[in-house]
Each structure stands twice: as structure tokens, then as C-alpha cells.
Amino acid sequence: MEKKNYNEMTDEELLVERKELNKSKIFHASAIGFLAGILIFGLIGWGLSEEKRLGFFIPMLIPIVFIYKLVKNPKTNKDLEEVLKERRLN
């Protein structure tokens, strides 16, 4: 993935990038909510079961890893938001 120089982009190009950023934020929020739901459902199911097996927690690490990767905010989003704020295109 090539790094874009947002300072050299025109206002129209920045508005297109902003729309993509908004779609990305919505997707990330939805994915985090879905994975958190899976995690909570699994933990409640484990808690209500009669047999408490610790091997159950290994598959539950998968949603935790994906949530962690989605929560980490890439620097490019911050760069784009700063340029949009400087040009008052929010």
C-alpha cells in the first residue's frame, strides 16, 4: 500500500478520501461489534455450561486478536483528518 501525500491533493480528492474514511470507520465499528458479540456469546455459553473446559478459551482468542487489530488506528487516518481539519473540509 503506497503512502499518499494528502497535502498535495485537491479538495475534491480529499472529499473522496473522506468518504472512504467514513466507510472504513463504519465497517470497523460493525466488525468490532460483531466480534465482541461472538466473544460475549461464547463466554456466557461457557459460563452456563456444566463442564468448564479451559480448552474452550483458545478459539475465543481469535476474536480478541481481530478486535485488537481493528482498534489500532493507522497513522494514515490521522494524517487525513489533520489535513481535512486544516482545510476546513469536515
Side-chain angles (χ1 to χ4, degrees):
M1 188 167 121
E2 71 181 59
K3 184 169 171 117
K4 298 179 181 180
N5 190 354
Y6 296 116
N7 291 325
E8 296 176 357
M9 293 178 123
T10 64
D11 288 347
E12 291 82 20
E13 292 172 333
L14 285 174
L15 291 174
V16 170
E17 290 290 325
R18 184 183 74 179
K19 285 182 183 178
E20 291 176 10
L21 177 65
N22 287 341
K23 288 180 186 178
S24 173
K25 285 182 177 181
I26 290 171
F27 172 75
H28 283 105
S30 301
I32 290 170
F34 177 73
L35 291 170
I38 290 173
L39 184 64
I40 291 169
F41 182 78
L43 292 175
I44 289 173
W46 180 78
L48 295 176
S49 70
E50 293 180 14
E51 294 182 23
K52 307 281 194 245
R53 296 186 180 170
L54 292 178
F56 171 79
F57 285 114
I58 294 171
M60 287 291 108
L61 293 176
I62 295 170
I64 293 172
V65 169
F66 283 128
I67 289 172
Y68 175 73
K69 290 194 182 270
L70 288 172
V71 168
K72 284 180 27 179
N73 192 9
K75 188 178 183 320
T76 57
N77 291 349
K78 291 180 183 178
D79 293 341
L80 176 59
E81 289 175 355
E82 288 176 7
V83 172
L84 287 170
K85 191 178 280 188
E86 286 175 5
R87 294 190 188 183
R88 296 186 178 142
L89 295 174
N90 292 343

